[in-house]
Amino acid sequence: MSKTLQAIRGMNDILPEQTPAWRYLEGALADLLDGYGYKEIRLPILEFTELFARGIGEGTDVVDKEMYTFLDRNEESLTLRPEGTAGCVRAVLEHGLSGGGQVQKLWYAGPMFRYEKPQKGRYRQFHQIGVEAFNLPGPDVDAELIVLTARLWQQLGLADAVTLQLNSLGSSEARAAYRDALVAYLNERFEQLDEDSQRRLTTNPLRILDSKNAQTQALLVGAPTLADYLDEESRLHLEGVKARLDAVGIRYEINNKLVRGLDYYNRTVFEWVTDKLGAQGTVCAGGRYDGLVTQLGGKATPGVGFAMGVERLVLLLETLELLPAELNSRADVYLCAFGEAAELAGLGLAERLRDAIPGLRLLVNSGAGSFKSQFKKADKSGARFALILGEDELTARVVGCKPLRDDAEQQNIGWDALAQHLAACLQALE
Ligand code: HAM
């Protein structure tokens, strides 16, 4: 026998029992974003590698270690997108969507790919729902993005399970000055740094701030902080975001060490974090990236956005048992037919019922079978009623209608009255 093939490590099938939860989350967010005036954009999964190298930044883990990059048949270097912002900016530029200072409020959803070490909540193919807003330089839109995520948590019952961390990275000049100060401080303590942080000291020193190493964290206690280097405009911007969050009662924690793993951010950065999922607790993260559009060849265009991790949110909803019971939709009606003539008549009847009762969940037995086997399948389907069509019913032009969830008697209903009868029975059960 040949070897059974398996999925690639960290790339998961999302099975039929899981998809209702995904659709529930995706649907809630799509409706919410619609309500705030954000429009969907659909983007390719593959882009030229250069887009990510320039957009996300060499020296970041994502670009240096985690991209799925390959040469296509034309010897072009392509990469499976590790995130959505760079591609969204590319599309906005390519189609002139931000030209003339036009405001764009966009969202996208889909798989992203990072060669990370898989564990609970961290996969190599994972899904994000991302939101990006262009040409809005003020703190009002940063706050709007946070407010709309808070509304989602409220709707899903997650409000008490997540907390908001907020920081400002300042202008690129302020950050550069801070970087120098941090590097000088850490260079004096180089030998005490963990190996990863030693490497990062030259490639991406700000990332040392969120090192998980306890000794490195202890060293950082006396280090200069980003807040000390914040430029006045960025300080006011942050105050503007905070004032708006205060105005609508959204609690946050200012975390000076929050720097994010992608290079394009300036000013506002934020993460929604939960302690219910173990190590991979960030369910939504984002910030402002006013320099990214120019970095990718466009005119200066402010941008800000975030992305949510769909797997992590579904896991959280499952863990906290917050998924509505009715998500696993069951059938309303199961039609059993015995013999070829009954099957043919049954098919026509079923289609007439679908015409008459919109949204009806009707399963027509497939694969024939004895009375016993068809009834067993009807029962297993969770249907509330079985319809029975045999030779006798065919001759009399009736259908046996048997309630499956209580002891009520089976009734014979004429074909012409069936739709009305079923609709009334189903409504009575609601
Ligand atoms: P990110 O922080 O890299 O940001 O990812 C956003 C979210 O995607 C994370 O908070 C997490 O929930 C989820 N995520 C990331 N990596 C994985 C993984 N390997 N497995 C499962 N979930 C994961 C970005 O991607 C930015 N593009 C967000 C953004 C949009 N900033 C501005 N606009």
Side-chain angles (χ1 to χ4, degrees):
M1 217 163 57
S2 61
K3 192 173 154 234
T4 331
L5 292 174
Q6 290 192 334
I8 298 166
R9 195 161 110 88
M11 305 211 177
N12 300 317
D13 300 308
I14 297 151
L15 298 175
E17 74 231 33
Q18 302 168 306
T19 50
W22 282 62
R23 284 173 58 172
Y24 168 66
L25 175 65
E26 289 161 353
L29 196 47
D31 289 347
L32 188 79
L33 288 164
D34 188 43
Y36 280 81
Y38 288 74
K39 305 242 182 304
E40 187 184 2
I41 183 165
R42 299 197 180 196
L43 302 160
I45 287 170
L46 271 179
E47 298 272 2
F48 290 118
T49 304
E50 192 192 345
L51 173 69
F52 303 115
R54 268 167 66 186
I56 300 173
E58 316 257 11
T60 59
D61 281 352
V62 171
V63 170
D64 289 359
K65 301 197 272 191
E66 296 172 358
M67 296 208 301
Y68 282 90
T69 297
F70 60 94
L71 292 179
D72 74 357
R73 288 168 196 275
N74 202 21
E75 302 279 302
E76 309 245 40
S77 179
L78 306 183
T79 293
L80 283 168
R81 62 181 183 193
E83 58 100 57
T85 309
C88 187
V89 169
R90 196 258 321 125
V92 162
L93 279 177
E94 190 166 335
H95 302 285
L97 302 185
S98 65
Q102 285 178 75
V103 169
Q104 285 292 343
K105 292 183 166 185
L106 304 171
W107 69 273
Y108 51 84
M112 310 289 159
F113 302 83
R114 296 184 194 175
Y115 193 82
E116 295 194 83
K117 211 168 177 188
Q119 62 181 84
K120 179 181 167 190
R122 188 163 76 190
Y123 312 102
R124 290 181 173 173
Q125 172 172 332
F126 60 97
H127 295 74
Q128 285 185 343
I129 300 177
V131 177
E132 316 289 353
F134 297 95
N135 278 320
L136 292 163
D140 49 353
V141 67
D142 307 23
E144 176 175 274
L145 292 176
I146 294 173
V147 169
L148 80 82
T149 49
R151 175 167 295 275
L152 181 73
W153 312 144
Q154 200 74 46
Q155 269 179 22
L156 299 175
L158 290 175
D160 293 334
V162 291
T163 54
L164 175 62
Q165 308 247 318
L166 185 66
N167 193 19
S168 175
L169 298 181
S171 63
S172 54
E173 297 78 26
R175 209 162 58 253
Y178 171 63
R179 188 187 296 118
D180 291 346
L182 183 68
V183 170
Y185 174 89
L186 291 176
N187 256 332
E188 283 170 23
R189 295 155 181 85
F190 188 81
E191 295 308 324
Q192 290 153 268
L193 285 174
D194 63 281
E195 212 177 301
D196 216 26
S197 299
Q198 288 183 343
R199 183 180 58 78
R200 283 188 163 143
L201 200 55
T202 41
T203 56
N204 203 348
L206 295 197
R207 286 294 280 175
I208 298 174
L209 295 179
D210 58 23
S211 159
K212 300 276 181 292
N213 184 287
Q215 196 183 328
T216 299
Q217 275 306 330
L219 272 186
L220 287 168
V221 171
T225 73
L226 251 171
D228 302 333
Y229 285 78
L230 212 56
D231 52 296
E232 183 60 8
E233 262 188 81
S234 297
R235 196 187 61 74
L236 287 173
H237 190 99
L238 180 62
E239 289 308 316
V241 177
K242 283 162 60 181
R244 285 164 176 85
L245 297 182
D246 292 337
V248 286
I250 293 177
R251 283 200 300 268
Y252 49 83
E253 189 187 317
I254 296 290
N255 176 357
N256 267 314
K257 291 188 178 149
L258 181 65
V259 290
R260 312 273 303 119
L262 313 160
D263 262 3
Y264 46 63
Y265 294 108
N266 67 308
R267 293 204 176 144
T268 316
V269 286
F270 66 92
E271 291 192 355
W272 286 98
V273 187
T274 180
D275 59 6
K276 310 273 188 287
L277 292 181
Q280 305 304 318
T282 307
V283 292
C284 171
R288 184 162 276 285
Y289 48 85
D290 294 331
L292 180 58
V293 176
T294 9
Q295 216 167 299
L296 293 177
K299 288 209 183 95
T301 305
V304 56
F306 68 76
M308 299 188 173
V310 179
E311 282 82 355
R312 290 185 192 176
L313 282 169
V314 169
L315 254 175
L316 188 57
L317 289 168
E318 280 169 1
T319 308
L320 301 178
E321 297 181 3
L322 289 169
L323 291 166
E326 65 274 13
L327 279 188
N328 283 312
S329 70
R330 50 198 177 77
D332 296 317
V333 181
Y334 192 101
L335 180 100
C336 311
F338 305 96
E340 205 176 317
E343 265 185 40
L344 288 179
L347 186 60
L349 262 178
E351 290 310 307
R352 292 224 303 274
L353 286 176
R354 293 185 207 280
D355 288 341
I357 313 176
L360 179 70
R361 286 182 300 235
L362 166 60
L363 300 187
V364 175
N365 182 73
S366 23
S370 66
F371 190 82
K372 198 171 152 199
S373 89
Q374 292 200 32
F375 240 74
K376 218 166 145 182
K377 287 194 270 178
D379 196 44
K380 210 172 151 205
S381 75
R384 291 144 190 258
F385 298 93
L387 298 180
I388 298 146
L389 198 56
E391 267 175 40
D392 294 348
E393 286 83 6
L394 204 56
T395 318
R397 297 179 69 80
V398 295
V399 173
C401 181
K402 181 164 174 43
L404 293 173
R405 305 293 147 209
D406 58 41
D407 297 333
E409 289 286 299
Q410 177 173 329
Q411 279 178 282
N412 279 344
I413 313 289
W415 289 358
D416 292 337
L418 184 60
Q420 213 180 0
H421 173 79
L422 262 184
C425 290
L426 287 170
Q427 198 159 26
L429 287 175
E430 273 184 8

